[in-house]
Amino acid sequence: MKLPRVLIVEDESAIAELVAVNLRHNGFAPIWAESGDAAQRELDAVLPDVILLDWMLPGHSGVALARKWRSDPRTKAVPILMLTARSDEPDKVAGLDAGADDYITKPFSAQELLARIRAVLRRRAPEQVTDSVTIGALVLDAATHRVSFNGQQLKMGPTEFKLLHYFMKHSERVHSRAQLLDKVWGDHVFIEERTVDVHVKRLREALSGAGSMIETVRGAGYRLTAQAQAAA
Ligand code: CA
C-alpha cells in the first residue's frame, strides 16, 4: 500500500522535524520544504496527498501560497491544512478564503494534527483512507486501483472504477442517475443522465461474471447487490 505523502512547508526545523517524526510513525510519508520555493519544486516533481502549510514563512505568506496552489490546475485538488500561531478569527477566515481546507493553531498535539490530516484526506480523497471494499467475491482495492472477482483481475476505465467504488461503498441502496452524477462525476452539471447508463453498461461488461450484481431498478436507478451474485 502506498503511504499518503504529506508535504510540510515550514521554516522552523524543530517544528518540521517533530511533525515529520509523528507522521512517519503513523503511516505517512512526510517531505519537508523549508520555503515556498522549495515547496513549489516538490509540487512540480511529485504531488503530495496533503500539504501542511505554515502561515508565517520567509518570502511568501502561507495565505499567498494557498491561493496560488488553489488556482493552479495541477495542485488545486490537493488538501491544504494551514498551521498558524495566530488564533484570531480574521486570520483563520483569510486562510480558509484563500482555499485552505482547515487550519490548526500552534501549539498542537500530534494526535490533533493526525486527526485533522485524516479528516481532510477523508473529505478530499476518500480512496486514500479506505483501502479496499469487498462484496461477496468482488474486491476493489482503491490504493492499487485493482478490481478482482473470484480472484480474477478485471480491467476497467477510470470512470467505471469510480462508479464501482461508489456502488460498493453504498451497496444494496438504490441510486438515481442524478445522485450518481453528483457523487461520482462531481459538479459537472453539463453531463446528461444518459451518460450514467453508458458507463453502467461498460461497468457491467468489465465486471463480466459479476455484472449482474449491478441491478437496474426500473424508474429509480441502479444498485449494487450481493444477492444477484448468489442467484447468478
Ligand atoms: Ca514559520
Side-chain angles (χ1 to χ4, degrees):
M1 191 201 116
K2 176 180 146 296
L3 299 179
R5 291 170 67 91
V6 181
L7 177 62
I8 306 163
V9 190
E10 167 66 83
D11 57 310
E12 286 154 87
S13 61
I15 295 176
E17 273 166 35
L18 187 68
V19 168
V21 165
N22 276 297
L23 289 176
R24 208 170 287 125
H25 286 165
N26 285 279
F28 294 92
I31 303 107
W32 176 34
E34 58 184 335
S35 67
D37 291 338
Q40 187 62 56
R41 283 193 295 275
E42 290 293 341
L43 290 171
D44 291 343
V46 186
L47 276 188
D49 297 295
V50 186
I51 301 171
L52 289 187
L53 177 58
D54 186 29
W55 183 279
M56 296 293 285
L57 289 163
H60 306 266
S61 86
V63 172
L65 288 170
R67 193 168 285 126
K68 176 180 157 196
W69 293 334
R70 203 42 96 225
S71 61
D72 183 337
R74 176 168 163 81
T75 47
K76 75 188 241 197
V78 181
I80 298 174
L81 187 54
M82 300 239 15
L83 305 176
T84 171
R86 309 171 180 191
S87 52
D88 34 338
E89 275 316 298
D91 286 345
K92 289 176 177 173
V93 172
L96 295 175
D97 277 351
D101 291 76
D102 200 358
Y103 54 85
I104 186 163
T105 307
K106 296 179 195 170
F108 46 81
S109 72
Q111 286 318 308
E112 186 184 2
L113 178 66
L114 290 165
R116 298 288 190 91
I117 291 176
R118 290 192 181 109
V120 291
L121 275 177
R122 213 173 289 126
R123 280 206 300 274
R124 281 278 182 151
E127 71 279 3
Q128 285 286 335
V129 274
T130 49
D131 288 314
S132 78
V133 205
T134 303
I135 310 274
L138 187 63
V139 181
L140 178 145
D141 188 332
T144 59
H145 265 246
R146 284 202 173 120
V147 180
S148 67
F149 180 61
N150 284 329
Q152 204 93 31
Q153 293 286 332
L154 303 174
K155 282 201 193 315
M156 63 186 67
T159 303
E160 287 71 39
F161 183 88
K162 278 168 75 178
L163 188 57
L164 179 63
H165 195 188
Y166 185 77
F167 274 135
M168 288 180 75
K169 283 202 298 185
H170 306 90
S171 66
E172 308 300 335
R173 266 166 43 193
V174 181
H175 307 282
S176 71
R177 289 167 179 81
Q179 282 166 344
L180 290 170
L181 273 181
D182 184 42
K183 301 291 182 189
V184 178
W185 277 260
D187 303 323
H188 302 283
V189 287
F190 301 115
I191 295 176
E192 291 176 55
E193 293 195 355
R194 231 191 69 76
T195 305
V196 176
D197 301 333
V198 172
H199 288 280
V200 166
K201 181 170 179 284
R202 284 189 200 154
L203 175 59
R204 281 189 178 128
E205 286 164 6
L207 288 171
S208 63
S212 59
M213 288 174 78
I214 313 276
E215 290 184 343
T216 305
V217 182
R218 206 164 287 280
Y222 296 102
R223 103 173 121 208
L224 183 141
T225 174
Q227 311 307 316
Q229 193 192 339

